[in-house]
Amino acid sequence: MNRFTVHASPAEFERAFVETAEFMARQDGFIEHTLLRHVDDEHRYVNIARWRDEAAFRAAVAAPGFGPHAAALRALSTSEPNLYTPAGPTRRSPLAEVGEGSAARF
């Protein structure tokens, strides 16, 4: 999980984030990510990424191609990166069908 506070244009940050996400998606062990924008402050974001394991994530951020992406995001924002592991099973409502870009997550 990574919290971002953007000090540039949110649109510019999102463009840079898309490029970083495309790089990460090509790395071994990447499963998925979701970038969430704060509902009341367009300059605050949270990215939640899922990886096969911690080693895969650490290998991705150590890859030579990651540096320019990290630098681009640092130029536009400050971040608070942290690693978490599941503490229990994922629960989803059997009635919920959330499409891309639809419902807010609270």
Side-chain angles (χ1 to χ4, degrees), residues 2 19 22 35 41 55 62 66 69 74:
N2 200 344
E19 292 178 14
E22 289 171 354
L35 181 65
D41 183 350
F66 180 68
H69 293 288
R74 279 194 303 270

Side-chain angles (χ1 to χ4, degrees), residues 21-97:
E22 289 171 354
F23 170 83
M24 296 303 259
R26 293 189 302 270
Q27 305 309 300
D28 183 47
F30 177 84
I31 297 171
E32 68 181 3
H33 86 91
T34 303
L35 181 65
L36 304 169
R37 182 178 42 241
H38 194 282
V39 296
D40 294 323
D41 183 350
E42 68 178 6
H43 289 90
R44 291 175 30 199
Y45 293 80
V46 172
N47 180 53
I48 301 170
R50 290 183 57 217
W51 290 83
R52 179 183 60 232
D53 53 35
E54 181 182 345
F57 169 76
R58 292 195 184 278
V61 297
F66 180 68
H69 293 288
L73 291 176
R74 279 194 303 270
L76 303 170
S77 66
T78 56
S79 67
E80 299 174 43
N82 292 284
L83 293 178
Y84 293 85
T85 189
T90 299
R91 300 279 187 228
R92 290 190 175 92
S93 168
L95 304 176
E97 287 193 32

Side-chain angles (χ1 to χ4, degrees), residues 98-105:
V98 178
E100 185 175 330
S102 58
R105 297 175 186 178

